[in-house]
mmCIF file of all heavy atoms in Angstrom:
data_model
loop_
_atom_site.group_PDB
_atom_site.id
_atom_site.type_symbol
_atom_site.label_atom_id
_atom_site.label_comp_id
_atom_site.label_asym_id
_atom_site.label_seq_id
_atom_site.Cartn_x
_atom_site.Cartn_y
_atom_site.Cartn_z
ATOM 1 N N TYR A 1 229.812 -29.154 -181.001
ATOM 2 C CA TYR A 1 229.387 -28.121 -180.091
ATOM 3 C C TYR A 1 230.165 -28.365 -178.754
ATOM 4 O O TYR A 1 230.346 -29.514 -178.334
ATOM 5 C CB TYR A 1 227.899 -28.320 -179.812
ATOM 6 C CG TYR A 1 227.047 -28.367 -181.077
ATOM 7 C CD1 TYR A 1 226.891 -29.588 -181.761
ATOM 8 C CD2 TYR A 1 226.484 -27.221 -181.637
ATOM 9 C CE1 TYR A 1 226.113 -29.657 -182.923
ATOM 10 C CE2 TYR A 1 225.690 -27.304 -182.785
ATOM 11 C CZ TYR A 1 225.560 -28.491 -183.409
ATOM 12 O OH TYR A 1 224.839 -28.548 -184.590
ATOM 13 N N TYR A 2 230.484 -27.207 -178.118
ATOM 14 C CA TYR A 2 231.268 -27.264 -176.862
ATOM 15 C C TYR A 2 230.682 -26.251 -175.896
ATOM 16 O O TYR A 2 230.327 -25.159 -176.314
ATOM 17 C CB TYR A 2 232.696 -26.977 -177.133
ATOM 18 C CG TYR A 2 233.440 -27.986 -177.978
ATOM 19 C CD1 TYR A 2 233.494 -27.752 -179.360
ATOM 20 C CD2 TYR A 2 233.996 -29.158 -177.480
ATOM 21 C CE1 TYR A 2 234.108 -28.639 -180.200
ATOM 22 C CE2 TYR A 2 234.621 -30.019 -178.295
ATOM 23 C CZ TYR A 2 234.663 -29.827 -179.645
ATOM 24 O OH TYR A 2 235.261 -30.717 -180.480
ATOM 25 N N THR A 3 230.740 -26.539 -174.579
ATOM 26 C CA THR A 3 230.521 -25.541 -173.665
ATOM 27 C C THR A 3 231.762 -24.677 -173.562
ATOM 28 O O THR A 3 232.894 -25.139 -173.841
ATOM 29 C CB THR A 3 230.197 -26.156 -172.257
ATOM 30 O OG1 THR A 3 229.717 -25.182 -171.398
ATOM 31 C CG2 THR A 3 231.395 -26.860 -171.650
ATOM 32 N N GLY A 4 231.607 -23.414 -173.072
ATOM 33 C CA GLY A 4 232.609 -22.446 -173.160
ATOM 34 C C GLY A 4 233.896 -22.814 -172.415
ATOM 35 O O GLY A 4 235.018 -22.589 -172.839
ATOM 36 N N SER A 5 233.738 -23.457 -171.291
ATOM 37 C CA SER A 5 234.890 -23.754 -170.402
ATOM 38 C C SER A 5 235.847 -24.785 -170.979
ATOM 39 O O SER A 5 236.973 -24.965 -170.452
ATOM 40 C CB SER A 5 234.394 -24.210 -169.012
ATOM 41 O OG SER A 5 233.641 -25.377 -169.087
ATOM 42 N N VAL A 6 235.396 -25.547 -171.925
ATOM 43 C CA VAL A 6 236.294 -26.571 -172.550
ATOM 44 C C VAL A 6 236.736 -26.259 -173.947
ATOM 45 O O VAL A 6 237.535 -27.045 -174.507
ATOM 46 C CB VAL A 6 235.603 -27.965 -172.506
ATOM 47 C CG1 VAL A 6 235.076 -28.297 -171.098
ATOM 48 C CG2 VAL A 6 234.512 -28.093 -173.536
ATOM 49 N N LYS A 7 236.264 -25.238 -174.519
ATOM 50 C CA LYS A 7 236.620 -24.874 -175.902
ATOM 51 C C LYS A 7 238.124 -24.665 -176.009
ATOM 52 O O LYS A 7 238.720 -23.983 -175.144
ATOM 53 C CB LYS A 7 235.915 -23.597 -176.419
ATOM 54 C CG LYS A 7 234.510 -23.826 -176.806
ATOM 55 C CD LYS A 7 233.879 -22.584 -177.315
ATOM 56 C CE LYS A 7 232.394 -22.755 -177.719
ATOM 57 N NZ LYS A 7 231.785 -21.507 -178.209
ATOM 58 N N GLY A 8 238.764 -25.288 -177.016
ATOM 59 C CA GLY A 8 240.214 -25.111 -177.142
ATOM 60 C C GLY A 8 240.964 -26.187 -176.350
ATOM 61 O O GLY A 8 242.174 -26.337 -176.578
ATOM 62 N N ARG A 9 240.303 -26.905 -175.502
ATOM 63 C CA ARG A 9 241.013 -27.954 -174.704
ATOM 64 C C ARG A 9 240.421 -29.361 -174.969
ATOM 65 O O ARG A 9 241.170 -30.336 -174.877
ATOM 66 C CB ARG A 9 240.846 -27.643 -173.226
ATOM 67 C CG ARG A 9 241.455 -26.335 -172.764
ATOM 68 C CD ARG A 9 241.488 -26.222 -171.238
ATOM 69 N NE ARG A 9 240.138 -26.255 -170.631
ATOM 70 C CZ ARG A 9 239.755 -27.182 -169.774
ATOM 71 N NH1 ARG A 9 240.575 -28.099 -169.381
ATOM 72 N NH2 ARG A 9 238.521 -27.135 -169.268
ATOM 73 N N PHE A 10 239.117 -29.468 -175.294
ATOM 74 C CA PHE A 10 238.496 -30.741 -175.546
ATOM 75 C C PHE A 10 238.165 -30.840 -176.981
ATOM 76 O O PHE A 10 237.741 -29.826 -177.640
ATOM 77 C CB PHE A 10 237.252 -30.898 -174.717
ATOM 78 C CG PHE A 10 237.449 -31.060 -173.219
ATOM 79 C CD1 PHE A 10 238.693 -30.846 -172.609
ATOM 80 C CD2 PHE A 10 236.403 -31.371 -172.451
ATOM 81 C CE1 PHE A 10 238.869 -30.988 -171.256
ATOM 82 C CE2 PHE A 10 236.579 -31.556 -171.056
ATOM 83 C CZ PHE A 10 237.769 -31.342 -170.432
ATOM 84 N N ILE A 11 238.241 -32.013 -177.555
ATOM 85 C CA ILE A 11 237.835 -32.317 -178.939
ATOM 86 C C ILE A 11 236.946 -33.564 -178.932
ATOM 87 O O ILE A 11 237.395 -34.649 -178.449
ATOM 88 C CB ILE A 11 239.040 -32.522 -179.862
ATOM 89 C CG1 ILE A 11 239.861 -31.224 -179.946
ATOM 90 C CG2 ILE A 11 238.518 -32.883 -181.253
ATOM 91 C CD1 ILE A 11 241.156 -31.401 -180.694
ATOM 92 N N ILE A 12 235.778 -33.392 -179.493
ATOM 93 C CA ILE A 12 234.880 -34.552 -179.637
ATOM 94 C C ILE A 12 234.999 -35.054 -181.091
ATOM 95 O O ILE A 12 235.117 -34.292 -182.020
ATOM 96 C CB ILE A 12 233.373 -34.172 -179.338
ATOM 97 C CG1 ILE A 12 232.552 -35.413 -179.145
ATOM 98 C CG2 ILE A 12 232.817 -33.166 -180.308
ATOM 99 C CD1 ILE A 12 231.157 -35.171 -178.613
ATOM 100 N N SER A 13 234.905 -36.351 -181.206
ATOM 101 C CA SER A 13 234.960 -36.967 -182.545
ATOM 102 C C SER A 13 234.149 -38.291 -182.530
ATOM 103 O O SER A 13 233.867 -38.784 -181.454
ATOM 104 C CB SER A 13 236.397 -37.241 -182.986
ATOM 105 O OG SER A 13 237.029 -38.126 -182.113
ATOM 106 N N ARG A 14 233.895 -38.767 -183.729
ATOM 107 C CA ARG A 14 233.173 -40.047 -183.810
ATOM 108 C C ARG A 14 233.716 -40.910 -184.873
ATOM 109 O O ARG A 14 234.156 -40.330 -185.923
ATOM 110 C CB ARG A 14 231.652 -39.815 -183.982
ATOM 111 C CG ARG A 14 231.310 -39.111 -185.278
ATOM 112 C CD ARG A 14 229.823 -38.661 -185.270
ATOM 113 N NE ARG A 14 228.960 -39.851 -185.168
ATOM 114 C CZ ARG A 14 227.670 -39.764 -184.732
ATOM 115 N NH1 ARG A 14 227.152 -38.618 -184.420
ATOM 116 N NH2 ARG A 14 226.913 -40.868 -184.680
ATOM 117 N N ASP A 15 233.691 -42.200 -184.732
ATOM 118 C CA ASP A 15 234.068 -43.112 -185.717
ATOM 119 C C ASP A 15 232.868 -44.038 -185.959
ATOM 120 O O ASP A 15 232.526 -44.974 -185.141
ATOM 121 C CB ASP A 15 235.275 -44.022 -185.213
ATOM 122 C CG ASP A 15 235.796 -44.909 -186.268
ATOM 123 O OD1 ASP A 15 235.049 -45.365 -187.195
ATOM 124 O OD2 ASP A 15 236.977 -45.285 -186.165
ATOM 125 N N ASN A 16 232.182 -43.771 -187.048
ATOM 126 C CA ASN A 16 230.887 -44.491 -187.269
ATOM 127 C C ASN A 16 231.171 -45.952 -187.628
ATOM 128 O O ASN A 16 230.301 -46.820 -187.343
ATOM 129 C CB ASN A 16 230.142 -43.854 -188.428
ATOM 130 C CG ASN A 16 229.571 -42.500 -188.081
ATOM 131 O OD1 ASN A 16 229.357 -42.183 -186.873
ATOM 132 N ND2 ASN A 16 229.341 -41.652 -189.080
ATOM 133 N N ALA A 17 232.336 -46.267 -188.138
ATOM 134 C CA ALA A 17 232.620 -47.683 -188.391
ATOM 135 C C ALA A 17 232.762 -48.510 -187.153
ATOM 136 O O ALA A 17 232.613 -49.721 -187.124
ATOM 137 C CB ALA A 17 233.863 -47.764 -189.252
ATOM 138 N N LYS A 18 233.159 -47.818 -186.063
ATOM 139 C CA LYS A 18 233.376 -48.479 -184.750
ATOM 140 C C LYS A 18 232.268 -48.203 -183.748
ATOM 141 O O LYS A 18 232.348 -48.591 -182.567
ATOM 142 C CB LYS A 18 234.723 -48.064 -184.148
ATOM 143 C CG LYS A 18 235.902 -48.476 -184.942
ATOM 144 C CD LYS A 18 237.211 -48.102 -184.313
ATOM 145 C CE LYS A 18 238.402 -48.587 -185.156
ATOM 146 N NZ LYS A 18 239.706 -48.169 -184.488
ATOM 147 N N ASN A 19 231.194 -47.434 -184.171
ATOM 148 C CA ASN A 19 230.138 -47.073 -183.261
ATOM 149 C C ASN A 19 230.661 -46.440 -181.999
ATOM 150 O O ASN A 19 230.153 -46.750 -180.866
ATOM 151 C CB ASN A 19 229.282 -48.321 -182.910
ATOM 152 C CG ASN A 19 228.384 -48.763 -184.097
ATOM 153 O OD1 ASN A 19 228.481 -48.269 -185.146
ATOM 154 N ND2 ASN A 19 227.516 -49.691 -183.742
ATOM 155 N N THR A 20 231.644 -45.590 -182.144
ATOM 156 C CA THR A 20 232.310 -45.026 -180.966
ATOM 157 C C THR A 20 232.387 -43.515 -181.102
ATOM 158 O O THR A 20 232.705 -42.946 -182.120
ATOM 159 C CB THR A 20 233.707 -45.615 -180.879
ATOM 160 O OG1 THR A 20 233.647 -47.062 -180.755
ATOM 161 C CG2 THR A 20 234.458 -45.090 -179.616
ATOM 162 N N VAL A 21 232.220 -42.855 -179.951
ATOM 163 C CA VAL A 21 232.491 -41.414 -179.821
ATOM 164 C C VAL A 21 233.593 -41.208 -178.845
ATOM 165 O O VAL A 21 233.705 -41.935 -177.836
ATOM 166 C CB VAL A 21 231.182 -40.662 -179.417
ATOM 167 C CG1 VAL A 21 230.694 -41.115 -178.003
ATOM 168 C CG2 VAL A 21 231.380 -39.183 -179.407
ATOM 169 N N TYR A 22 234.383 -40.215 -179.094
ATOM 170 C CA TYR A 22 235.588 -39.967 -178.265
ATOM 171 C C TYR A 22 235.559 -38.526 -177.727
ATOM 172 O O TYR A 22 234.922 -37.672 -178.318
ATOM 173 C CB TYR A 22 236.838 -40.116 -179.113
ATOM 174 C CG TYR A 22 237.040 -41.405 -179.746
ATOM 175 C CD1 TYR A 22 236.695 -41.615 -181.135
ATOM 176 C CD2 TYR A 22 237.552 -42.532 -179.081
ATOM 177 C CE1 TYR A 22 236.814 -42.875 -181.736
ATOM 178 C CE2 TYR A 22 237.718 -43.770 -179.698
ATOM 179 C CZ TYR A 22 237.395 -43.924 -181.021
ATOM 180 O OH TYR A 22 237.499 -45.131 -181.625
ATOM 181 N N LEU A 23 236.170 -38.351 -176.595
ATOM 182 C CA LEU A 23 236.408 -37.020 -176.108
ATOM 183 C C LEU A 23 237.903 -36.937 -175.716
ATOM 184 O O LEU A 23 238.319 -37.509 -174.742
ATOM 185 C CB LEU A 23 235.543 -36.706 -174.878
ATOM 186 C CG LEU A 23 235.609 -35.298 -174.397
ATOM 187 C CD1 LEU A 23 234.987 -34.355 -175.416
ATOM 188 C CD2 LEU A 23 234.879 -35.100 -173.044
ATOM 189 N N GLU A 24 238.642 -36.140 -176.488
ATOM 190 C CA GLU A 24 240.025 -35.958 -176.276
ATOM 191 C C GLU A 24 240.125 -34.679 -175.374
ATOM 192 O O GLU A 24 239.621 -33.677 -175.737
ATOM 193 C CB GLU A 24 240.797 -35.713 -177.524
ATOM 194 C CG GLU A 24 242.284 -35.649 -177.438
ATOM 195 C CD GLU A 24 242.913 -37.050 -177.337
ATOM 196 O OE1 GLU A 24 242.386 -37.971 -177.994
ATOM 197 O OE2 GLU A 24 243.903 -37.230 -176.633
ATOM 198 N N MET A 25 240.774 -34.840 -174.193
ATOM 199 C CA MET A 25 240.865 -33.769 -173.254
ATOM 200 C C MET A 25 242.343 -33.413 -172.983
ATOM 201 O O MET A 25 243.071 -34.344 -172.578
ATOM 202 C CB MET A 25 240.111 -34.198 -171.925
ATOM 203 C CG MET A 25 238.716 -34.597 -172.134
ATOM 204 S SD MET A 25 237.848 -35.049 -170.583
ATOM 205 C CE MET A 25 238.825 -36.415 -170.042
ATOM 206 N N ILE A 26 242.698 -32.227 -173.172
ATOM 207 C CA ILE A 26 244.040 -31.782 -172.888
ATOM 208 C C ILE A 26 244.062 -30.606 -171.948
ATOM 209 O O ILE A 26 242.952 -30.030 -171.708
ATOM 210 C CB ILE A 26 244.812 -31.354 -174.139
ATOM 211 C CG1 ILE A 26 244.182 -30.146 -174.812
ATOM 212 C CG2 ILE A 26 244.896 -32.530 -175.156
ATOM 213 C CD1 ILE A 26 245.062 -29.561 -175.956
ATOM 214 N N SER A 27 245.169 -30.216 -171.419
ATOM 215 C CA SER A 27 245.294 -29.103 -170.442
ATOM 216 C C SER A 27 244.231 -29.255 -169.373
ATOM 217 O O SER A 27 243.530 -28.258 -169.064
ATOM 218 C CB SER A 27 245.181 -27.781 -171.234
ATOM 219 O OG SER A 27 246.163 -27.657 -172.196
ATOM 220 N N LEU A 28 244.113 -30.412 -168.803
ATOM 221 C CA LEU A 28 243.029 -30.627 -167.829
ATOM 222 C C LEU A 28 243.272 -29.785 -166.564
ATOM 223 O O LEU A 28 244.399 -29.521 -166.182
ATOM 224 C CB LEU A 28 242.992 -32.116 -167.463
ATOM 225 C CG LEU A 28 242.246 -32.936 -168.520
ATOM 226 C CD1 LEU A 28 242.605 -34.427 -168.345
ATOM 227 C CD2 LEU A 28 240.763 -32.765 -168.347
ATOM 228 N N LYS A 29 242.185 -29.388 -165.977
ATOM 229 C CA LYS A 29 242.183 -28.543 -164.792
ATOM 230 C C LYS A 29 241.455 -29.279 -163.627
ATOM 231 O O LYS A 29 240.593 -30.085 -163.863
ATOM 232 C CB LYS A 29 241.448 -27.210 -165.051
ATOM 233 C CG LYS A 29 242.030 -26.414 -166.203
ATOM 234 C CD LYS A 29 241.193 -25.173 -166.494
ATOM 235 C CE LYS A 29 241.745 -24.422 -167.653
ATOM 236 N NZ LYS A 29 240.912 -23.201 -167.989
ATOM 237 N N PRO A 30 241.790 -28.955 -162.407
ATOM 238 C CA PRO A 30 241.067 -29.542 -161.284
ATOM 239 C C PRO A 30 239.512 -29.365 -161.405
ATOM 240 O O PRO A 30 238.756 -30.331 -160.998
ATOM 241 C CB PRO A 30 241.597 -28.831 -160.085
ATOM 242 C CG PRO A 30 242.981 -28.457 -160.484
ATOM 243 C CD PRO A 30 242.932 -28.120 -161.897
ATOM 244 N N GLU A 31 239.089 -28.296 -161.906
ATOM 245 C CA GLU A 31 237.625 -28.152 -162.086
ATOM 246 C C GLU A 31 236.966 -29.041 -163.184
ATOM 247 O O GLU A 31 235.723 -29.018 -163.317
ATOM 248 C CB GLU A 31 237.313 -26.660 -162.397
ATOM 249 C CG GLU A 31 238.104 -26.049 -163.508
ATOM 250 C CD GLU A 31 239.377 -25.273 -163.048
ATOM 251 O OE1 GLU A 31 240.054 -25.771 -162.206
ATOM 252 O OE2 GLU A 31 239.565 -24.154 -163.570
ATOM 253 N N ASP A 32 237.807 -29.731 -163.896
ATOM 254 C CA ASP A 32 237.253 -30.700 -164.829
ATOM 255 C C ASP A 32 236.911 -32.024 -164.112
ATOM 256 O O ASP A 32 236.377 -32.928 -164.726
ATOM 257 C CB ASP A 32 238.243 -31.005 -165.988
ATOM 258 C CG ASP A 32 238.519 -29.799 -166.837
ATOM 259 O OD1 ASP A 32 237.561 -29.110 -167.206
ATOM 260 O OD2 ASP A 32 239.687 -29.551 -167.178
ATOM 261 N N THR A 33 237.260 -32.124 -162.870
ATOM 262 C CA THR A 33 236.959 -33.395 -162.119
ATOM 263 C C THR A 33 235.517 -33.652 -161.977
ATOM 264 O O THR A 33 234.727 -32.774 -161.636
ATOM 265 C CB THR A 33 237.619 -33.264 -160.718
ATOM 266 O OG1 THR A 33 239.077 -33.157 -160.809
ATOM 267 C CG2 THR A 33 237.236 -34.460 -159.900
ATOM 268 N N ALA A 34 235.094 -34.803 -162.490
ATOM 269 C CA ALA A 34 233.678 -35.175 -162.501
ATOM 270 C C ALA A 34 233.513 -36.581 -163.066
ATOM 271 O O ALA A 34 234.480 -37.189 -163.607
ATOM 272 C CB ALA A 34 232.885 -34.188 -163.372
ATOM 273 N N GLY A 35 232.299 -37.082 -162.908
ATOM 274 C CA GLY A 35 231.941 -38.271 -163.676
ATOM 275 C C GLY A 35 231.531 -37.848 -165.055
ATOM 276 O O GLY A 35 230.765 -36.905 -165.166
ATOM 277 N N TYR A 36 232.015 -38.510 -166.077
ATOM 278 C CA TYR A 36 231.745 -38.137 -167.488
ATOM 279 C C TYR A 36 230.829 -39.197 -168.075
ATOM 280 O O TYR A 36 231.087 -40.436 -167.959
ATOM 281 C CB TYR A 36 233.002 -37.989 -168.322
ATOM 282 C CG TYR A 36 233.728 -36.697 -168.035
ATOM 283 C CD1 TYR A 36 234.289 -36.436 -166.821
ATOM 284 C CD2 TYR A 36 233.718 -35.687 -168.984
ATOM 285 C CE1 TYR A 36 234.976 -35.229 -166.551
ATOM 286 C CE2 TYR A 36 234.324 -34.482 -168.741
ATOM 287 C CZ TYR A 36 234.973 -34.272 -167.515
ATOM 288 O OH TYR A 36 235.639 -33.049 -167.267
ATOM 289 N N TYR A 37 229.724 -38.756 -168.689
ATOM 290 C CA TYR A 37 228.688 -39.627 -169.215
ATOM 291 C C TYR A 37 228.479 -39.353 -170.710
ATOM 292 O O TYR A 37 228.369 -38.206 -171.123
ATOM 293 C CB TYR A 37 227.359 -39.436 -168.513
ATOM 294 C CG TYR A 37 227.453 -39.667 -167.026
ATOM 295 C CD1 TYR A 37 227.886 -38.722 -166.143
ATOM 296 C CD2 TYR A 37 227.085 -40.919 -166.481
ATOM 297 C CE1 TYR A 37 227.976 -38.959 -164.741
ATOM 298 C CE2 TYR A 37 227.155 -41.188 -165.149
ATOM 299 C CZ TYR A 37 227.605 -40.135 -164.279
ATOM 300 O OH TYR A 37 227.713 -40.438 -162.972
ATOM 301 N N CYS A 38 228.404 -40.407 -171.475
ATOM 302 C CA CYS A 38 228.042 -40.219 -172.909
ATOM 303 C C CYS A 38 226.573 -40.464 -173.023
ATOM 304 O O CYS A 38 225.923 -41.182 -172.177
ATOM 305 C CB CYS A 38 228.840 -41.094 -173.832
ATOM 306 S SG CYS A 38 228.533 -42.834 -173.743
ATOM 307 N N ALA A 39 225.984 -39.861 -174.029
ATOM 308 C CA ALA A 39 224.541 -39.979 -174.217
ATOM 309 C C ALA A 39 224.259 -39.952 -175.759
ATOM 310 O O ALA A 39 224.924 -39.395 -176.574
ATOM 311 C CB ALA A 39 223.848 -38.819 -173.565
ATOM 312 N N SER A 40 223.086 -40.571 -176.076
ATOM 313 C CA SER A 40 222.599 -40.668 -177.467
ATOM 314 C C SER A 40 221.228 -40.098 -177.583
ATOM 315 O O SER A 40 220.392 -40.315 -176.623
ATOM 316 C CB SER A 40 222.592 -42.148 -177.849
ATOM 317 O OG SER A 40 222.211 -42.299 -179.226
ATOM 318 N N THR A 41 220.965 -39.288 -178.615
ATOM 319 C CA THR A 41 219.747 -38.507 -178.701
ATOM 320 C C THR A 41 218.470 -39.364 -178.845
ATOM 321 O O THR A 41 218.522 -40.499 -179.335
ATOM 322 C CB THR A 41 219.770 -37.513 -179.905
ATOM 323 O OG1 THR A 41 220.193 -38.237 -181.056
ATOM 324 C CG2 THR A 41 220.790 -36.360 -179.561
ATOM 325 N N ARG A 42 217.373 -38.779 -178.497
ATOM 326 C CA ARG A 42 216.014 -39.421 -178.584
ATOM 327 C C ARG A 42 215.623 -39.676 -180.050
ATOM 328 O O ARG A 42 214.991 -40.655 -180.313
ATOM 329 C CB ARG A 42 214.989 -38.561 -177.939
ATOM 330 C CG ARG A 42 215.147 -38.375 -176.469
ATOM 331 C CD ARG A 42 214.043 -37.530 -175.885
ATOM 332 N NE ARG A 42 214.213 -37.294 -174.418
ATOM 333 C CZ ARG A 42 213.907 -38.132 -173.516
ATOM 334 N NH1 ARG A 42 213.324 -39.281 -173.820
ATOM 335 N NH2 ARG A 42 214.118 -37.833 -172.261
ATOM 336 N N ARG A 43 216.047 -38.734 -180.909
ATOM 337 C CA ARG A 43 215.584 -38.842 -182.283
ATOM 338 C C ARG A 43 216.890 -38.771 -183.160
ATOM 339 O O ARG A 43 217.861 -38.149 -182.799
ATOM 340 C CB ARG A 43 214.646 -37.707 -182.652
ATOM 341 C CG ARG A 43 213.394 -37.674 -181.831
ATOM 342 C CD ARG A 43 212.461 -36.553 -182.347
ATOM 343 N NE ARG A 43 213.100 -35.306 -182.524
ATOM 344 C CZ ARG A 43 213.237 -34.344 -181.581
ATOM 345 N NH1 ARG A 43 212.799 -34.615 -180.361
ATOM 346 N NH2 ARG A 43 213.807 -33.229 -181.853
ATOM 347 N N PRO A 44 216.816 -39.331 -184.395
ATOM 348 C CA PRO A 44 217.938 -39.202 -185.311
ATOM 349 C C PRO A 44 218.032 -37.789 -185.863
ATOM 350 O O PRO A 44 217.008 -37.033 -185.868
ATOM 351 C CB PRO A 44 217.640 -40.299 -186.344
ATOM 352 C CG PRO A 44 216.164 -40.375 -186.359
ATOM 353 C CD PRO A 44 215.760 -40.181 -184.939
ATOM 354 N N PHE A 45 219.199 -37.416 -186.345
ATOM 355 C CA PHE A 45 219.442 -36.242 -187.094
ATOM 356 C C PHE A 45 219.061 -34.949 -186.377
ATOM 357 O O PHE A 45 218.529 -34.034 -186.926
ATOM 358 C CB PHE A 45 218.715 -36.309 -188.481
ATOM 359 C CG PHE A 45 218.956 -37.585 -189.234
ATOM 360 C CD1 PHE A 45 217.915 -38.473 -189.518
ATOM 361 C CD2 PHE A 45 220.252 -37.890 -189.656
ATOM 362 C CE1 PHE A 45 218.179 -39.639 -190.198
ATOM 363 C CE2 PHE A 45 220.512 -39.020 -190.336
ATOM 364 C CZ PHE A 45 219.491 -39.943 -190.622
ATOM 365 N N MET A 46 219.419 -34.916 -185.081
ATOM 366 C CA MET A 46 219.198 -33.684 -184.304
ATOM 367 C C MET A 46 220.420 -32.795 -184.451
ATOM 368 O O MET A 46 221.581 -33.313 -184.466
ATOM 369 C CB MET A 46 218.935 -34.012 -182.834
ATOM 370 C CG MET A 46 217.574 -34.728 -182.588
ATOM 371 S SD MET A 46 217.235 -35.019 -180.842
ATOM 372 C CE MET A 46 217.197 -33.368 -180.205
ATOM 373 N N PHE A 47 220.188 -31.491 -184.360
ATOM 374 C CA PHE A 47 221.283 -30.554 -184.490
ATOM 375 C C PHE A 47 221.039 -29.362 -183.570
ATOM 376 O O PHE A 47 219.938 -29.182 -183.053
ATOM 377 C CB PHE A 47 221.352 -29.983 -185.944
ATOM 378 C CG PHE A 47 221.467 -31.046 -186.978
ATOM 379 C CD1 PHE A 47 220.381 -31.551 -187.613
ATOM 380 C CD2 PHE A 47 222.719 -31.525 -187.340
ATOM 381 C CE1 PHE A 47 220.465 -32.506 -188.583
ATOM 382 C CE2 PHE A 47 222.880 -32.482 -188.302
ATOM 383 C CZ PHE A 47 221.712 -32.994 -188.934
ATOM 384 N N GLY A 48 222.058 -28.584 -183.332
ATOM 385 C CA GLY A 48 221.944 -27.265 -182.754
ATOM 386 C C GLY A 48 221.810 -27.258 -181.238
ATOM 387 O O GLY A 48 222.226 -28.187 -180.509
#
């Protein structure tokens, strides 16, 4: 899932063997400047 302003520029992926989530960001813009935080859901198997 992506917010509209990053669709086509950012790609999220996960490697379950490494317990790691990634965010690949290309074509970065000044408005992308921010602190970026990862988060894990309250419950398992959440969608949508």
Side-chain angles (χ1 to χ4, degrees):
Y1 309 84
Y2 298 93
T3 192
S5 62
V6 308
K7 281 183 180 178
R9 299 189 299 120
F10 290 11
I11 297 175
I12 191 170
S13 62
R14 63 191 298 158
D15 185 335
N16 290 337
K18 295 182 178 180
N19 285 9
T20 302
V21 61
Y22 303 97
L23 187 67
E24 189 80 36
M25 305 183 294
I26 65 170
S27 301
L28 282 161
K29 304 175 181 180
E31 51 264 43
D32 295 317
T33 295
Y36 282 69
Y37 300 84
C38 68
S40 184
T41 51
R42 295 181 183 278
R43 302 185 310 274
F45 309 116
M46 290 182 66
F47 305 93

